């Protein structure tokens, strides 16, 4: 995006800054200036001169000697220009002045060319008359300049005046880097608004006046939009009695400074409004619109259309077209058609200002291999409410420049008007976010200058539709920050709970899980979060199992990746299966991965993402080996209380007699077990496979890295070994509960060292042996004290039907 400073000053009239001040301030407030170039660079001492007389050079056939009035004096200049005559007013560089380059239009020298008084073939020449190329410009920007020769100025140009000022070259062009979310700044008015707020000046945009005769545009043209999604708004106005001619100098100069070649008043007006309002426009010759009707519709696959550049374009169904009652006359938002272009004898013109879907325009332009100034703006996603203001401004210029007669009214297809939206505003939260202490009124003043509304009762900022980038409180805070001044925001330390250079508590627990798993011989696995619904059948889950309540992906890669996983089981078993079928032995894997549990279906809010630690192995090891890894992790995580294994709640994918839920302090934190043989068969694993699943958020709530150290015991321990006969259905966990309950304060530890089933034990029973340790902190225990405690323990065991083995 390029703008001339003079054009900005037209709407910010009190702006009085240097080029560098403008660059620095605008960049600091978020409108980044990439660079600037002065149009009068290396142009010095150039004035308007009038040729008083012309004589032939005495010694050169192609040179002439001119007497030129430059205001304060008359100077003699020798030139070879063939196009000058007596009375012409021309730009003259005086003795000691500078021009930008040579008459050949080649690359401009960095420091220009200095002009000195001298002799040409023996005749004194005091200065030089200039071509437009010598002034650093070209015929593209000054179409009235001769192809070869001196630039002839207007007859009313004051002799001796600053020629550079009269030519509109006393200006600076700034180049901006505009981010794609700031669509409003792809226009002169958007940049001017930013400049006005940046420098605290008044913003005076043009206000299109009411235009049009007593007729109605709807009597001339009808508009039908068949795809409102791709064309949310279409405005059309009619101008008759068109008079094609040159544009005024001020318009030419502004367009030229923006890099647009002036052509004629009609074309220049559409280009001028596109730059000023950021709204592309197009003009159609009404004679070429069949049925006086515009239809906005998709093209048909395989259609061909000739655009204004003479090229045939192959279309498809996704390209939006502007059509009349019989044919296509333009590619929407990209380029008009050869069959409806404006010609010199045009009498009645249809002006179009529309809003098209930005994504569609971008993709269509890419497929067609054509990117225009209009498509570059449309693809950003324009504000539909800007279309009417732009077309009214164009009609206003039509009347002011005498280009034609505007027909009254406008045909406007706008079925779903876009309305301003609201963003909650809390000035104290803004200050907390920015680390500032800006008064509320100062923030509101910034909003007012930015044309943002404010509802003081609801504490909401009302965002106008041209500010599509303002969506949340952080965006509002950014507006405050950039106009308060990033350089004024003090350096402060971050607030809230920080990590002080360490991992957060959650990540420390997860890191511990990795360390314990790897210490115990497990290797890390990583599997996809996307799965197939067929997984539930492979795991033998019931139709109403909660694990089947999965989130369906709207645009899946395929059925095998169509839902979000509710368990890591499938990924782990698949990884183990791959290893088994590649004949890898004794594979131990672990994964820390998220599962996605919807709160309700269909989704109304984000699902619960829960990190799970999944352990899996086949080969060396059994159920108790897996349980030992789980207990090691829990102990390292500070869960010192007893872990309870409850086998009563069955999971269909686990062996019915070798599984358990893991319960800690009455809360289920996971499960453990051997995979059901039917399931291992489905996954083609030919060995017993064991899994354990731990819910990391639940464990993190219970975890603690606090360590409590106690001194070395000063008194000896007393150990008692007992061997018991118990029914097979009695779990050792029940026995340990009795030992803990009746062991009292003297109980230090206990250890299961033998479980036996065989011919020496009755059928349906098992032998269980424990070593129990007692110790007192303040004395040496006597056998009598230990005996009393053991009697209580044995009494409790007897209530479970457990007897001592003799």
């Amino acid at each position: 995006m390029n703008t001339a400073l003079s054009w900005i000053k037209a709407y910010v009239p009190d702006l009085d800054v240097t080029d560098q001040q403008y660059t620095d301030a605008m960049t600091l407030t978020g409108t980044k200036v990439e660079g600037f170039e002065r149009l009068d660079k290396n142009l010095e001492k150039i004035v308007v001169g009038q040729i008083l007389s012309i004589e032939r050079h005495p010694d050169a056939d192609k040179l002439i000697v001119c007497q030129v009035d430059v205001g304060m004096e008359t100077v003699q200049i020798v030139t070879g220009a063939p196009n000058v005559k007596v009375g012409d007013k021309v730009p003259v560089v005086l003795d000691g002045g500078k021009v930008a380059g040579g008459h050949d239009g080649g690359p401009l020298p960095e420091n220009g060319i200095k002009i000195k008084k001298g002799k040409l073939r023996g005749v004194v020449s005091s200065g030089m008359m200039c071509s437009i190329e010598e002034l650093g410009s070209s015929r593209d920007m000054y179409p009235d300049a001769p192809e070869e020769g001196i630039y002839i100025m207007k007859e009313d140009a004051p002799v001796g005046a600053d020629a550079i000022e009269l030519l509109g070259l006393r200006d600076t062009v700034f180049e901006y880097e505009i981010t794609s979310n700031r669509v409003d700044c792809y226009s002169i008015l958007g940049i001017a608004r930013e400049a006005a707020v940046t420098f605290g000046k008044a913003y005076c945009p043009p206000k299109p006046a009411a235009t049009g005769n007593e007729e109605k545009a709807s009597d001339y043209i009808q508009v039908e939009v068949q795809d409102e999604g791709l064309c949310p708004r279409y405005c059309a106005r009619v101008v008759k009695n068109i008079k094609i001619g040159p544009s005024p100098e001020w318009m030419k100069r502004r367009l030229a400074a923006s890099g647009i070649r002036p052509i004629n008043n009609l074309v220049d007006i559409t280009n001028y409004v596109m730059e000023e309002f950021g709204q592309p426009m197009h003009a159609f010759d009404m004679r070429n619109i069949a049925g006086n009707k515009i239809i906005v519709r998709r093209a048909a696959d395989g259609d061909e259309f000739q655009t204004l550049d003479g090229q045939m374009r192959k279309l498809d169904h996704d390209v939006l077209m502007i059509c009349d009652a019989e044919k296509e006359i333009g590619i929407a938002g990209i380029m008009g058609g050869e069959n409806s272009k404006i010609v010199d004898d045009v009498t009645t013109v249809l002006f179009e200002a529309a809003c098209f879907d930005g994504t569609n325009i971008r993709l269509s332009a890419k497929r067609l291999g054509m990117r225009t100034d209009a498509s570059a703006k449309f693809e950003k996603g324009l504000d539909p409410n800007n279309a009417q203001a732009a077309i009214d401004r164009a009609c206003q210029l039509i009347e002011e420049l005498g280009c034609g007669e505007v027909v009254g009214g406008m045909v406007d297809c706008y079925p779903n008007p876009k309305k301003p939206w609201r963003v909650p505003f809390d000035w104290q939260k803004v200050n907390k976010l920015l680390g500032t202490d800006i008064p509320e009124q100062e923030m509101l003043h910034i909003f007012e200058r930015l044309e943002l509304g404010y509802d003081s009762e609801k504490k909401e900022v009302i965002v106008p539709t041209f500010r599509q980038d303002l969506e949340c409180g952080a965006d509002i805070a950014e507006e405050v920050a950039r106009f308060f001044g990033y350089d004024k925001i003090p350096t402060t330390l971050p607030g809230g709970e920080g990590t002080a250079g360490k991992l957060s508590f959650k990540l420390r627990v997860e890191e511990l899980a990795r360390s314990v798993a790897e210490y115990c011989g497990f290797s890390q696995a990583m599997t996809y979060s996307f799965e197939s619904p067929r997984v539930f059948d492979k795991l033998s889950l019931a139709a109403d199992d909660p694990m089947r309540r999965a989130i369906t992906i709207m645009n899946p890669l395929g059925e095998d990746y169509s839902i979000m996983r509710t368990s890591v089981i499938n990924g782990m078993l698949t990884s183990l299966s791959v290893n088994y079928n590649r004949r890898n032995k004794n594979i131990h894997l672990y994964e820390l991965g998220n599962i996605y549990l919807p709160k309700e279906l269909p989704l109304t809010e984000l699902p619960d993402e829960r990190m799970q630690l999944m352990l899996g192995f086949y080969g060396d090891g059994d159920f108790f080996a897996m349980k030992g890894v789980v207990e090691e992790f829990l102990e390292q995580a500070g869960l010192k209380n007893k872990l309870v294994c409850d086998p009563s709640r069955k999971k269909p994918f686990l062996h019915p007699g070798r599984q358990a839920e893991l319960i800690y302090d009455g809360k289920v934190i996971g499960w453990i077990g051997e995979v059901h043989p039917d399931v291992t068969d489905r996954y083609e694993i030919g060995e017993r496979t064991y899994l354990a699943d731990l819910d990391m958020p639940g464990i993190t709530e219970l975890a603690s890295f606090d360590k409590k150290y106690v001194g070395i015991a000063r008194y000896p321990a007393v150990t008692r070994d007992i061997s018991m006969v118990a029914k097979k259905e009695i779990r050792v966990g029940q026995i340990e509960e009795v030992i803990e309950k009746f062991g009292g304060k003297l109980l230090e530890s206990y250890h299961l060292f033998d479980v036996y089933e065989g011919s020496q034990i009755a059928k349906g029973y098992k032998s269980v042996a424990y070593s129990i340790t007692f110790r007192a902190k303040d004395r040496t225990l006597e056998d009598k004290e230990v005996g009393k405690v053991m009697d209580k323990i044995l009494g409790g065991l007897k209530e479970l039907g457990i007897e001592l083995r003799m």
Side-chain angles (χ1 to χ4, degrees), residues 186-219:
Y186 283 92
S187 66
I188 300 295
L189 293 180
I191 298 292
R193 185 187 296 108
E194 292 285 308
V197 182
T198 297
F199 295 100
K201 304 297 183 180
Y203 173 54
C204 305
K207 296 180 179 180
T211 55
N213 57 24
E214 298 300 320
E215 297 178 278
K216 294 182 179 180
S218 57
D219 294 334

Side-chain angles (χ1 to χ4, degrees), residues 59-128:
D59 296 322
D61 293 339
K62 294 184 178 181
L63 297 180
I64 56 176
V65 180
C66 302
Q67 302 300 320
V68 183
D69 180 7
V70 293
M72 301 294 294
E73 60 179 328
T74 299
V75 297
Q76 179 173 283
I77 297 176
V78 179
T79 180
N83 66 315
V84 295
K85 63 182 184 298
V86 174
D88 283 347
K89 293 181 179 180
V90 296
V92 176
V93 55
L94 303 177
D95 179 29
K98 273 187 178 183
V99 291
H103 68 278
D104 58 356
L108 301 180
E110 179 64 27
N111 298 315
I113 299 173
K114 194 159 189 175
I115 303 300
K116 295 182 179 179
K117 182 178 180 180
K119 291 184 178 181
L120 286 178
R121 301 291 292 269
V123 177
V124 174
S125 181
S126 301
M128 183 181 78

Side-chain angles (χ1 to χ4, degrees), residues 567-581:
S567 172
V568 194
I569 302 171
N570 176 66
M572 178 59 68
L573 289 177
T574 301
S575 298
L576 292 173
S577 174
V578 170
N579 279 277
Y580 180 81
N581 286 285

